Amino acid sequence: MLTEEEKNAGLVGRIIPINIEEQMKTAYIDYSMSVIVSRALPDVRDGLKPVHRRIRYDMSAELNLSSDKPTRKSARIVGDVLGKFHPHGDSSVYDAMVRLAQEWSMRYPLVDGQGNFGSMDGDSPAAMRYTEARMKKITDEVMADIEKETIDWTLNFDDTIPEPTVLPTKIPLLLVNGASGIAVGMATNMAPHNLCEVVDACCAYIDNPEIECEELLQYVKGPDFPTGGLIYGYDGVREALLTGRGRVMMRARTEIEHTASGRECIVITEIPYMVNKAEMIKKIADLINDKKIEGISYINDESDRNGLRIIIILKQDAVASVVLNTLYKNTPLQTSFAVNNIALVKGRPMLLNLRELIRHFVEHRHDVVVRRTRFDLRKAEERLHIVQGLLIAQDNIDEIVHIIRSSQTPDAAKERMMERFGLSDLQSAAIIDMRLRALTGLERGKLDAEREELEKRIAYFREVLASRDEQMRVIREELIEMKEKYGDERRTEIIYASEEFNPEDFYADEDMVITMSHMGYIKRTPLAEYRTQHRGGVGVKGSATRDEDFIEHIYVASMHATMMFFTEKGRCYWLKVYDIPEGTRSSKGRAIQNLIQIEPDDKVRAYINCKRLNDPEYVNDNFIIMCTKDGTIKKTKLEAYSRPRQNGVNAIVIREGDQLIDACLTSGSAEVMIAARDGKAIRFNESTVRPIGRVGAGVRGISIEESDEVIGMICVEPDSKQDVLVLSENGYGKRTDLDEYRITNRGGKGVKTINVTEKTGRLVSIQAVSDDNDLMIINRSGLTIRTAVSQIRVAGRATQGVRIINLREGDAIASVMAVPKSEEEEPQTDAVAAADAAGTTAEAADGGNAPAAEQ
């Protein structure tokens, strides 16, 4: 309550109740906008934050520290900027000025520093009382024409001194030097670029204002960092230039050299932008000491005034490329630059792509050129007016002298001259101030020449102001002049071949045997560990599985391939071969549930090996054909499965009681064969199966009895010269020419493919093979045999075949797979042959299911 005295004093109504929540919101918004506009974000026109702009202006206009003047104490510069324009801490000004002088921070430094301005090792600069500075020559171009009314001005914080709101820079600083800053609720992180490339892009935009951003990429290749290095992959660069946001992967520049003793060493000559060299070396040393990086015996920094040089000497048996890739993965030798092109456009923060950045700069230069031309025109017209008056005085010099001598005051003389010769006040004043030397004939000639020159300049200025094309020509010529004066070669090399960091660099592209047990344990083993035996061998131990487990699937793929897993429930998962844990031939492996997110009650039934999943043409020209236990088949373009997802996708709708049993990769013109356990098989061309989408159930492939079931499917490409190999559960098998199976319509009952008897047992496998294949057979007890297909004779369609493998009592065949033939073989009877030679092509081992293009 107000007292009577307060009421009488007129305080009634001056206290306004407000909601504290609303007040806090308003105050915080005001604060955040102040930080965004007045501190953290650069202006799109000159690329400078307020503190940088104030430093530039103070050094140029207030202290006259142009590039041809002596340096002055940094403390003097900082104090002047603080007292006149930037009422914040002195460290904010000094740190900003120091960064403008650091050649490893700025692509084109704007301050010429003398003294200790820090180092790439993260050393702090000397105190401002010890260092001196002045402007670089390139900064003169940033300040050029500021006195010609080219920009808008505002008063400083105490309304005593005008300061520029933007600088009339001839150089697109925002693109060539980049910027970084953290505001409230937003941040900016802009990469530096090469001046020559940016100028070429600006000229292209001037020539064609409708040019697309994509077309500008042929001029601006990507960021050009002051520390050089490599940009590894172009996708992030392209995204950043086209959208304003992207992640650029940077790598150190390295060379492989040899010491005097012949040992390999990695020499680092350039490091990624903004990486602290000393911290990077310490990180590498710590990883070596912790045994996280193997193969390095010594690291030392040999950098000097001639350049950066870090030497890493390797151990005797270390492979330089493998060690280097490990360093890229685990240390700042490879790091990323997250581009976020946010700048102030007319006081508002906006995300800008390359074209927009260039457009705003060119518009700024257009405004500067127009205002400068108007200023020059006005000054030229004013001077011409004076010169014309002086020429009139020259023509009438005797009378002018008489008027001046006979007048009591200068003002009276001016009045008389204005009446006598029709002069203006300015002309009369100029005549009054004229020196006696202007009476000579030589001065008359100079005035005539000046008048002619002024008339030409005025005509030119009017021509420029009358034509936008002329204005753009001026901008273009000045940009080219900047390129010729300050342009240099690109420092950062862009590696276009590798789109991003590739884990495949850590693994040789060798062939692997991938095995999966009945209970879902998976592993990869080098193909060379498996040896060749003759037909009838008993095999070697292939896996130490649990008593109730046995190897159910076997597959061959190269280390860099992508494995596609198809489960009983009709789902598809993806896994790189190098992500499958390696094991010996006798090890158990790892549960598949730990590698892919497969449901507990689901099982993997089919694999597809694909090395070109990211090739648009390939995935659109090839298909996946799936077959279920009840004889349903489905055909879908590979493209539908070309985008791996961590949780997998539905590949086929499985009806109740049915399950997926096989999947094949085809070219679209393969011959499809489906075999049933009772010994029947059907052959038809895949063209009779219409491709459908990923979500679908498929159509009837073969008709079987209720007690029967499909055991496998093969897809044989035209001209592949493959035979059909079938194998029964008791180890009997045979090869049969494909042409012995007549082509029928899909959905039929098929024809006999093997004479099923009590001795042979029921059918367990059907494979497409040639003499270039070996047959790998694994039985339920875990024994493995590898035998050459060429040793299995070709027999008729209805025969029972020959014994392929001798099975112990109670044992049975679990899995059969055709693999590439070994390159060396020493014939032995029931004995182990020579080890397989390295270098077989796993891409040919799509289980006989790969199209010819993949084989």
Side-chain angles (χ1 to χ4, degrees):
M1 296 292 292
L2 296 176
T3 63
E4 287 297 325
E5 291 78 7
E6 289 171 333
K7 292 179 180 179
N8 294 335
L11 296 180
V12 177
R14 294 178 60 187
I15 298 177
I16 304 172
I18 60 172
N19 187 316
I20 190 170
E21 182 179 349
E22 293 297 325
Q23 178 63 23
M24 290 296 290
K25 284 182 181 179
T26 304
Y28 192 76
I29 289 173
D30 292 343
Y31 162 73
S32 63
M33 288 306 298
S34 173
V35 172
I36 291 169
V37 176
S38 304
R39 206 183 292 186
L41 299 186
D43 192 292
V44 72
R45 296 170 293 177
D46 62 4
L48 299 174
K49 299 179 187 178
V51 63
H52 298 133
R53 190 177 301 116
R54 288 162 177 167
I55 292 171
R56 301 267 55 70
Y57 175 67
D58 189 81
M59 292 178 73
S60 174
E62 301 292 319
L63 299 177
N64 193 26
L65 291 177
S66 56
S67 58
D68 57 348
K69 298 293 192 298
T71 58
R72 296 186 71 173
K73 283 289 184 183
S74 298
R76 174 71 173 86
I77 300 170
V78 172
D80 210 56
V81 173
L82 284 179
K84 292 180 179 178
F85 305 112
H86 199 69
H88 300 281
D90 57 358
S91 62
S92 66
V93 177
Y94 187 51
D95 290 347
M97 189 183 79
V98 163
R99 190 172 187 276
L100 291 175
Q102 293 175 337
E103 293 186 351
W104 60 92
S105 295
M106 305 293 288
R107 183 62 179 83
Y108 300 91
L110 301 178
V111 170
D112 184 7
Q114 182 173 306
N116 176 14
F117 275 75
S119 73
M120 293 178 69
D121 289 327
D123 299 324
S124 300
M128 66 181 79
R129 60 184 179 274
Y130 299 120
T131 61
E132 298 182 357
R134 63 182 174 185
M135 297 195 305
K136 283 270 192 183
K137 187 171 180 59
I138 193 172
T139 314
D140 296 340
E141 313 292 352
V142 177
M143 306 301 300
D145 303 323
I146 194 171
E147 75 284 354
K148 293 185 177 181
E149 300 176 1
T150 53
I151 55 172
D152 294 329
W153 297 74
T154 185
L155 291 174
N156 67 342
F157 61 91
D158 60 359
D159 294 342
T160 57
I161 305 173
E163 64 171 308
T165 59
V166 68
L167 298 184
T169 175
K170 293 182 179 180
I171 295 170
L173 288 178
L174 192 57
L175 273 167
V176 300
N177 270 340
S180 63
I182 300 174
V184 178
M186 65 183 66
T188 186
N189 199 34
M190 305 182 69
H193 296 80
N194 184 269
L195 177 60
C196 295
E197 294 180 3
V198 172
V199 167
D200 289 342
C202 290
C203 292
Y205 174 81
I206 291 170
D207 295 339
N208 176 23
E210 303 300 321
I211 191 170
E212 294 292 333
C213 192
E214 183 86 34
E215 298 175 67
L216 291 172
L217 266 57
Q218 63 182 299
Y219 303 100
V220 179
K221 308 301 182 185
D224 188 23
F225 299 110
T227 55
L230 308 174
I231 291 177
Y232 188 71
Y234 194 65
D235 279 353
V237 173
R238 189 173 184 277
E239 184 181 3
L241 293 175
L242 294 180
T243 68
R245 278 202 177 99
R247 186 168 295 274
V248 178
M249 193 65 70
M250 304 178 294
R251 274 188 171 184
R253 186 182 295 277
T254 59
E255 298 173 1
I256 307 298
E257 298 181 1
H258 290 82
T259 63
S261 61
R263 291 167 69 179
E264 283 189 322
C265 60
I266 299 171
V267 179
I268 303 167
T269 56
E270 296 173 1
I271 62 174
Y273 183 50
M274 300 303 291
V275 167
N276 185 309
K277 175 162 66 73
E279 288 293 327
M280 182 188 74
I281 295 173
K282 183 178 182 298
K283 171 76 171 175
I284 296 173
D286 289 343
L287 291 173
I288 295 171
N289 294 333
D290 294 340
K291 308 294 184 184
K292 293 182 178 178
I293 294 182
E294 302 290 341
I296 297 176
S297 64
Y298 176 76
I299 180 170
N300 189 39
D301 185 3
E302 298 180 355
S303 304
D304 55 21
R305 67 178 62 190
N306 296 320
L308 185 146
R309 180 180 171 88
I310 302 167
I311 184 168
I312 299 173
I313 299 179
L314 306 183
K315 294 179 180 178
Q316 198 69 42
D317 58 345
V319 180
S321 59
V322 173
V323 174
L324 185 57
N325 284 325
T326 306
L327 288 170
Y328 283 145
K329 181 179 180 182
N330 297 292
T331 72
L333 277 183
Q334 175 172 289
T335 186
S336 62
F337 186 95
V339 176
N340 190 24
N341 293 343
I342 292 182
L344 295 176
V345 180
K346 298 179 180 178
R348 298 181 61 183
M350 293 183 66
L351 180 68
L352 305 166
N353 62 19
L354 175 62
R355 183 181 182 278
E356 291 165 340
L357 288 168
I358 290 174
R359 176 172 64 85
H360 287 298
F361 171 73
V362 171
E363 286 177 356
H364 173 57
R365 282 302 300 165
H366 178 258
D367 185 52
V368 168
V369 167
V370 169
R371 294 172 71 162
R372 181 187 67 191
T373 307
R374 287 174 182 162
F375 177 87
D376 289 339
L377 175 61
R378 189 176 80 246
K379 292 296 183 181
E381 288 175 339
E382 290 173 357
R383 178 60 184 166
L384 179 62
H385 183 65
I386 299 297
V387 169
Q388 288 171 339
L390 295 177
L391 287 171
I392 291 174
Q394 280 277 8
D395 293 338
N396 302 276
I397 191 64
D398 294 334
E399 189 174 353
I400 290 290
V401 171
H402 174 72
I403 291 174
I404 293 174
R405 292 187 63 186
S406 62
S407 299
Q408 294 292 324
T409 63
D411 289 340
K414 284 168 57 178
E415 291 291 335
R416 291 175 62 188
M417 282 189 289
M418 291 168 64
E419 291 176 5
R420 172 70 182 81
F421 300 107
L423 300 174
S424 69
D425 185 69
L426 287 174
Q427 290 173 320
S428 301
I431 293 170
I432 293 291
D433 295 335
M434 186 171 60
R435 297 181 181 182
L436 288 176
R437 71 180 184 185
L439 302 178
T440 64
L442 181 62
E443 290 297 319
R444 168 67 192 226
K446 287 183 178 179
L447 288 173
D448 283 333
E450 184 179 1
R451 182 188 61 186
E452 291 178 6
E453 177 64 25
L454 286 170
E455 287 174 346
K456 290 179 182 178
R457 291 182 62 195
I458 289 170
Y460 168 73
F461 292 145
R462 286 174 176 166
E463 181 183 352
V464 170
L465 288 174
S467 169
R468 182 178 176 86
D469 291 341
E470 273 298 307
Q471 296 158 12
M472 288 300 176
R473 184 189 60 79
V474 171
I475 297 170
R476 195 180 197 282
E477 288 179 353
E478 290 180 350
L479 281 169
I480 293 174
E481 181 188 356
M482 295 301 101
K483 173 183 173 180
E484 293 172 348
K485 289 173 70 173
Y486 306 105
D488 55 6
E489 294 294 325
R490 163 174 278 277
R491 298 181 187 176
T492 303
E493 179 184 353
I494 300 176
I495 301 176
Y496 295 92
S498 301
E499 299 305 319
E500 57 186 355
F501 176 73
N502 193 349
E504 294 175 1
D505 293 339
F506 294 98
Y507 307 99
D509 198 14
E510 299 173 345
D511 293 343
M512 292 286 159
V513 175
I514 299 167
T515 56
M516 178 177 282
S517 73
H518 179 72
M519 298 191 70
Y521 287 87
I522 189 172
K523 65 177 179 180
R524 59 177 166 88
T525 308
L527 182 63
E529 284 198 21
Y530 290 88
R531 313 174 195 180
T532 305
Q533 291 185 6
H534 268 218
R535 176 174 62 81
V538 295
V540 295
K541 190 69 176 174
S543 180
T545 55
R546 294 161 58 181
D547 291 342
E548 66 273 19
D549 199 7
F550 58 90
I551 296 296
E552 190 171 54
H553 296 282
I554 182 169
Y555 208 85
V556 176
S558 67
M559 187 70 99
H560 294 177
T562 300
M563 295 298 298
M564 300 171 66
F565 298 82
F566 293 85
T567 69
E568 287 182 352
K569 290 189 173 182
R571 288 188 65 79
C572 175
Y573 299 86
W574 296 262
L575 194 64
K576 283 287 189 179
V577 170
Y578 53 72
D579 287 330
I580 298 173
E582 184 172 0
T584 63
R585 195 179 59 223
S586 59
S587 63
K588 182 175 69 173
R590 190 174 178 190
I592 189 70
Q593 285 84 355
N594 295 332
L595 303 177
I596 58 177
Q597 298 184 9
I598 185 174
E599 296 179 9
D601 59 342
D602 203 359
K603 285 181 61 178
V604 173
R605 293 305 304 264
Y607 305 76
I608 285 181
N609 166 30
C610 186
K611 294 193 73 171
R612 296 153 62 188
L613 208 56
N614 57 353
D615 183 345
E617 183 178 352
Y618 180 75
V619 297
N620 279 290
D621 290 344
N622 289 275
F623 302 86
I624 290 178
I625 293 182
M626 288 162 278
C627 179
T628 70
K629 189 169 66 173
D630 74 353
T632 299
I633 65 167
K634 177 187 174 184
K635 179 180 174 183
T636 306
K637 275 190 178 183
L638 178 60
E639 192 276 335
Y641 305 94
S642 63
R643 291 170 291 277
R645 298 182 191 172
Q646 187 175 1
N647 296 327
V649 296
N650 287 324
I652 183 173
V653 175
I654 300 294
R655 297 182 176 90
E656 187 177 352
D658 196 8
Q659 64 183 33
L660 182 72
I661 56 109
D662 213 342
C664 299
L665 186 62
T666 73
S667 64
S669 56
E671 297 291 332
V672 180
M673 282 194 65
I674 302 174
R677 194 170 296 279
D678 283 344
K680 291 286 188 71
I682 187 172
R683 175 190 175 191
F684 55 88
N685 194 282
E686 73 163 293
S687 60
T688 62
V689 184
R690 180 176 57 87
I692 60 175
R694 188 168 52 77
V695 180
V699 295
R700 173 62 57 190
I702 185 173
S703 297
I704 56 176
E705 300 292 335
E706 193 170 323
S707 59
D708 200 3
E709 63 182 30
V710 172
I711 54 91
M713 171 184 67
I714 61 172
C715 297
V716 182
E717 294 293 331
D719 304 323
S720 65
K721 298 181 181 178
Q722 288 181 306
D723 297 326
V724 179
L725 186 145
V726 291
L727 195 65
S728 68
E729 59 187 352
N730 291 338
Y732 286 84
K734 62 172 181 175
R735 293 167 62 191
T736 305
D737 193 299
L738 179 65
D739 290 336
E740 289 206 20
Y741 297 85
R742 70 176 188 273
I743 299 177
T744 63
N745 292 326
R746 65 167 179 83
K749 292 185 177 182
V751 296
K752 182 179 290 189
T753 185
I754 190 172
N755 188 23
V756 174
T757 65
E758 186 175 344
K759 182 173 73 170
T760 62
R762 302 175 77 189
L763 198 62
V764 293
S765 175
I766 180 170
Q767 302 288 330
V769 297
S770 69
D771 286 343
D772 295 328
N773 290 125
D774 285 347
L775 201 63
M776 292 192 68
I777 305 169
I778 298 180
N779 58 30
R780 290 176 181 267
S781 62
L783 291 177
T784 304
I785 183 172
R786 177 169 183 165
T787 187
V789 169
S790 58
Q791 295 180 7
I792 304 173
R793 67 182 179 86
V794 178
R797 178 173 55 79
T799 60
Q800 69 177 12
V802 295
R803 184 176 291 277
I804 303 296
I805 183 173
N806 289 321
L807 297 174
R808 295 185 176 94
E809 187 177 353
D811 205 356
I813 292 175
S815 179
V816 182
M817 179 60 61
V819 297
K821 186 177 182 178
S822 61
E823 295 180 2
E824 297 179 6
E825 182 179 343
E826 297 178 5
Q828 300 177 29
T829 303
D830 298 335
V832 176
D836 295 326
T840 53
T841 305
E843 206 171 357
D846 253 335
N849 300 333
E854 191 74 353
Q855 296 179 19

Coordinates of all heavy atoms in Angstrom, one line a residue, residues 188-230:
T188 N 27.3 -21.3 -35.8 CA 27.8 -21.3 -37.1 C 29.2 -21.9 -37.2 O 29.9 -21.8 -36.2 CB 27.8 -19.9 -37.7 OG1 28.1 -19.9 -39.1 CG2 28.8 -19.0 -37.0
N189 N 29.4 -22.6 -38.3 CA 30.8 -23.2 -38.5 C 31.0 -23.3 -40.0 O 30.5 -24.2 -40.6 CB 30.8 -24.6 -37.8 CG 32.2 -25.0 -37.6 OD1 33.1 -24.2 -37.3 ND2 32.5 -26.3 -37.7
M190 N 31.6 -22.3 -40.5 CA 31.8 -22.2 -42.0 C 33.3 -22.4 -42.3 O 34.2 -21.9 -41.7 CB 31.3 -20.8 -42.4 CG 29.9 -20.5 -42.0 SD 29.3 -18.9 -42.6 CE 29.2 -19.2 -44.3
A191 N 33.4 -23.3 -43.3 CA 34.8 -23.7 -43.8 C 35.4 -22.6 -44.7 O 34.7 -21.9 -45.4 CB 34.7 -25.0 -44.5
P192 N 36.7 -22.5 -44.6 CA 37.4 -21.6 -45.6 C 37.5 -22.2 -47.0 O 37.5 -23.4 -47.1 CB 38.8 -21.4 -45.0 CG 39.0 -22.6 -44.1 CD 37.7 -23.1 -43.7
H193 N 37.6 -21.4 -48.0 CA 37.7 -21.8 -49.4 C 38.8 -21.1 -50.1 O 39.3 -20.1 -49.6 CB 36.4 -21.6 -50.1 CG 35.3 -22.5 -49.6 ND1 34.6 -22.1 -48.4 CD2 34.7 -23.6 -50.0 CE1 33.6 -23.0 -48.2 NE2 33.7 -23.9 -49.1
N194 N 39.2 -21.5 -51.3 CA 40.2 -20.9 -52.1 C 39.7 -19.7 -52.8 O 38.6 -19.7 -53.4 CB 40.7 -22.0 -53.1 CG 41.9 -21.4 -53.9 OD1 41.7 -20.8 -54.9 ND2 43.1 -21.6 -53.4
L195 N 40.5 -18.6 -52.7 CA 40.0 -17.3 -53.3 C 39.8 -17.4 -54.8 O 38.8 -16.9 -55.3 CB 41.1 -16.2 -52.9 CG 40.8 -14.8 -53.5 CD1 39.5 -14.3 -53.0 CD2 41.9 -13.9 -53.2
C196 N 40.7 -18.1 -55.5 CA 40.6 -18.2 -56.9 C 39.3 -18.9 -57.3 O 38.6 -18.5 -58.2 CB 41.8 -18.9 -57.5 SG 43.4 -18.1 -57.3
E197 N 39.0 -20.0 -56.6 CA 37.8 -20.8 -56.9 C 36.5 -19.9 -56.6 O 35.6 -19.9 -57.4 CB 37.8 -22.1 -56.1 CG 38.9 -23.0 -56.5 CD 38.8 -24.3 -55.6 OE1 37.9 -24.4 -54.8 OE2 39.7 -25.2 -55.8
V198 N 36.5 -19.2 -55.4 CA 35.4 -18.4 -55.1 C 35.2 -17.3 -56.1 O 34.0 -17.0 -56.4 CB 35.5 -17.9 -53.6 CG1 34.4 -16.9 -53.3 CG2 35.5 -19.0 -52.6
V199 N 36.3 -16.6 -56.5 CA 36.1 -15.5 -57.5 C 35.6 -16.1 -58.8 O 34.7 -15.4 -59.4 CB 37.5 -14.9 -57.7 CG1 37.4 -13.9 -58.9 CG2 37.9 -14.0 -56.4
D200 N 36.0 -17.2 -59.2 CA 35.5 -17.8 -60.4 C 34.0 -18.1 -60.3 O 33.2 -17.9 -61.3 CB 36.3 -19.1 -60.8 CG 37.7 -18.9 -61.2 OD1 38.0 -17.7 -61.6 OD2 38.5 -19.8 -61.1
A201 N 33.6 -18.6 -59.1 CA 32.2 -18.9 -58.9 C 31.4 -17.6 -58.9 O 30.3 -17.5 -59.5 CB 32.0 -19.6 -57.6
C202 N 31.9 -16.5 -58.3 CA 31.2 -15.2 -58.3 C 31.1 -14.7 -59.7 O 30.0 -14.1 -60.1 CB 32.0 -14.2 -57.4 SG 31.9 -14.6 -55.7
C203 N 32.1 -14.8 -60.5 CA 32.1 -14.3 -61.9 C 31.0 -15.2 -62.7 O 30.3 -14.6 -63.5 CB 33.4 -14.5 -62.6 SG 34.7 -13.3 -61.9
A204 N 31.0 -16.5 -62.4 CA 30.0 -17.3 -63.1 C 28.6 -16.8 -62.7 O 27.7 -16.8 -63.6 CB 30.2 -18.8 -62.7
Y205 N 28.4 -16.5 -61.5 CA 27.1 -16.0 -61.0 C 26.7 -14.7 -61.7 O 25.6 -14.4 -62.1 CB 27.0 -15.9 -59.5 CG 25.7 -15.2 -59.0 CD1 24.6 -16.0 -58.8 CD2 25.7 -13.9 -58.7 CE1 23.4 -15.4 -58.4 CE2 24.5 -13.3 -58.3 CZ 23.4 -14.1 -58.1 OH 22.2 -13.5 -57.7
I206 N 27.7 -13.8 -61.8 CA 27.5 -12.5 -62.4 C 27.1 -12.7 -63.9 O 26.2 -12.0 -64.4 CB 28.8 -11.6 -62.3 CG1 29.0 -11.2 -60.8 CG2 28.7 -10.4 -63.1 CD1 30.3 -10.5 -60.5
D207 N 27.8 -13.6 -64.6 CA 27.5 -13.9 -66.0 C 26.1 -14.5 -66.2 O 25.5 -14.2 -67.2 CB 28.6 -14.8 -66.6 CG 30.0 -14.1 -66.6 OD1 30.0 -12.9 -66.5 OD2 31.0 -14.9 -66.6
N208 N 25.7 -15.3 -65.2 CA 24.4 -15.9 -65.3 C 23.8 -16.0 -63.9 O 23.9 -16.9 -63.2 CB 24.6 -17.3 -65.9 CG 23.3 -18.1 -65.9 OD1 22.2 -17.5 -65.9 ND2 23.3 -19.4 -65.9
P209 N 23.0 -15.0 -63.6 CA 22.4 -14.9 -62.2 C 21.4 -16.1 -62.0 O 21.0 -16.4 -60.8 CB 21.6 -13.6 -62.2 CG 22.3 -12.8 -63.3 CD 22.7 -13.7 -64.3
E210 N 21.0 -16.8 -63.0 CA 20.1 -17.9 -62.9 C 20.8 -19.3 -62.7 O 20.2 -20.3 -62.7 CB 19.1 -18.0 -64.1 CG 18.3 -16.8 -64.4 CD 17.4 -16.4 -63.2 OE1 16.9 -17.4 -62.6 OE2 17.3 -15.2 -62.9
I211 N 22.1 -19.2 -62.6 CA 22.9 -20.4 -62.5 C 22.5 -21.2 -61.3 O 22.2 -20.7 -60.2 CB 24.4 -20.1 -62.4 CG1 25.3 -21.3 -62.6 CG2 24.8 -19.3 -61.1 CD1 26.8 -21.0 -62.8
E212 N 22.5 -22.6 -61.4 CA 22.1 -23.4 -60.3 C 23.3 -23.7 -59.4 O 24.4 -23.6 -59.8 CB 21.6 -24.8 -60.9 CG 20.3 -24.7 -61.7 CD 19.1 -24.3 -60.8 OE1 19.1 -24.6 -59.6 OE2 18.1 -23.7 -61.3
C213 N 22.9 -24.0 -58.1 CA 24.0 -24.2 -57.2 C 24.9 -25.4 -57.6 O 26.1 -25.4 -57.4 CB 23.4 -24.5 -55.8 SG 24.6 -24.5 -54.4
E214 N 24.2 -26.4 -58.2 CA 25.0 -27.6 -58.7 C 26.0 -27.2 -59.7 O 27.1 -27.7 -59.7 CB 24.0 -28.6 -59.3 CG 24.6 -29.9 -59.8 CD 24.7 -30.9 -58.7 OE1 23.7 -30.9 -57.8 OE2 25.6 -31.6 -58.6
E215 N 25.7 -26.2 -60.5 CA 26.7 -25.8 -61.6 C 27.9 -25.0 -61.0 O 29.0 -25.1 -61.5 CB 26.0 -24.9 -62.6 CG 24.9 -25.6 -63.4 CD 24.1 -24.6 -64.3 OE1 24.8 -24.2 -65.3 OE2 23.0 -24.3 -64.0
L216 N 27.6 -24.4 -59.8 CA 28.7 -23.7 -59.2 C 29.8 -24.6 -58.6 O 30.9 -24.2 -58.3 CB 28.2 -22.8 -58.0 CG 27.3 -21.6 -58.5 CD1 26.7 -20.9 -57.3 CD2 28.2 -20.6 -59.3
L217 N 29.4 -25.9 -58.4 CA 30.4 -26.8 -57.8 C 31.5 -27.1 -58.8 O 32.6 -27.6 -58.3 CB 29.6 -28.1 -57.5 CG 29.1 -28.3 -56.1 CD1 28.2 -27.1 -55.7 CD2 28.5 -29.6 -55.9
Q218 N 31.4 -26.8 -60.1 CA 32.5 -27.0 -60.9 C 33.6 -25.9 -60.8 O 34.7 -26.0 -61.2 CB 32.0 -27.0 -62.4 CG 31.4 -25.7 -62.9 CD 30.9 -25.8 -64.3 OE1 31.7 -26.0 -65.2 NE2 29.6 -25.6 -64.5
Y219 N 33.2 -24.8 -60.0 CA 34.2 -23.8 -59.7 C 34.7 -23.9 -58.3 O 36.0 -23.9 -58.1 CB 33.5 -22.4 -59.9 CG 33.0 -22.1 -61.3 CD1 31.6 -22.3 -61.5 CD2 33.8 -21.8 -62.3 CE1 31.1 -22.1 -62.8 CE2 33.3 -21.6 -63.6 CZ 31.9 -21.7 -63.8 OH 31.4 -21.5 -65.1
V220 N 33.9 -24.0 -57.3 CA 34.3 -24.2 -56.0 C 34.3 -25.7 -55.7 O 33.3 -26.4 -55.5 CB 33.3 -23.5 -55.0 CG1 33.8 -23.7 -53.5 CG2 33.3 -22.0 -55.3
K221 N 35.5 -26.3 -55.6 CA 35.6 -27.7 -55.5 C 35.3 -28.2 -54.1 O 34.8 -29.3 -53.9 CB 37.1 -28.2 -55.8 CG 37.6 -27.7 -57.1 CD 36.7 -28.2 -58.3 CE 37.3 -27.7 -59.6 NZ 36.4 -28.1 -60.7
G222 N 35.5 -27.3 -53.1 CA 35.3 -27.7 -51.7 C 36.1 -26.8 -50.8 O 36.9 -25.9 -51.3
P223 N 36.0 -27.1 -49.5 CA 36.9 -26.3 -48.5 C 38.3 -26.4 -48.9 O 38.8 -27.4 -49.4 CB 36.5 -26.9 -47.2 CG 35.2 -27.5 -47.4 CD 35.1 -28.0 -48.8
D224 N 39.1 -25.3 -48.6 CA 40.5 -25.2 -48.7 C 41.1 -24.7 -47.4 O 41.1 -23.5 -47.2 CB 40.9 -24.3 -49.9 CG 42.3 -24.4 -50.3 OD1 43.0 -25.4 -50.0 OD2 42.9 -23.4 -50.8
F225 N 41.6 -25.7 -46.6 CA 42.0 -25.3 -45.3 C 43.4 -24.8 -45.2 O 44.2 -25.2 -46.0 CB 41.9 -26.6 -44.4 CG 40.5 -27.2 -44.3 CD1 40.2 -28.4 -44.8 CD2 39.5 -26.5 -43.6 CE1 38.9 -28.9 -44.8 CE2 38.2 -27.0 -43.5 CZ 37.9 -28.2 -44.1
P226 N 43.7 -23.8 -44.3 CA 45.0 -23.2 -44.3 C 46.1 -24.2 -43.9 O 47.3 -24.0 -44.3 CB 44.9 -22.2 -43.2 CG 43.7 -22.5 -42.4 CD 42.7 -23.2 -43.4
T227 N 45.8 -25.3 -43.2 CA 46.8 -26.3 -42.9 C 46.9 -27.4 -44.0 O 47.7 -28.4 -43.8 CB 46.4 -27.0 -41.5 OG1 45.1 -27.5 -41.6 CG2 46.5 -26.0 -40.4
G228 N 46.2 -27.3 -45.1 CA 46.3 -28.2 -46.1 C 45.6 -29.5 -45.8 O 44.4 -29.5 -45.4
G229 N 46.3 -30.7 -45.9 CA 45.7 -32.0 -45.6 C 44.9 -32.5 -46.8 O 44.9 -32.0 -47.9
L230 N 44.1 -33.5 -46.5 CA 43.2 -34.1 -47.5 C 41.8 -34.0 -47.0 O 41.5 -34.1 -45.8 CB 43.6 -35.6 -47.7 CG 45.1 -35.9 -47.9 CD1 45.3 -37.4 -48.0 CD2 45.5 -35.3 -49.3

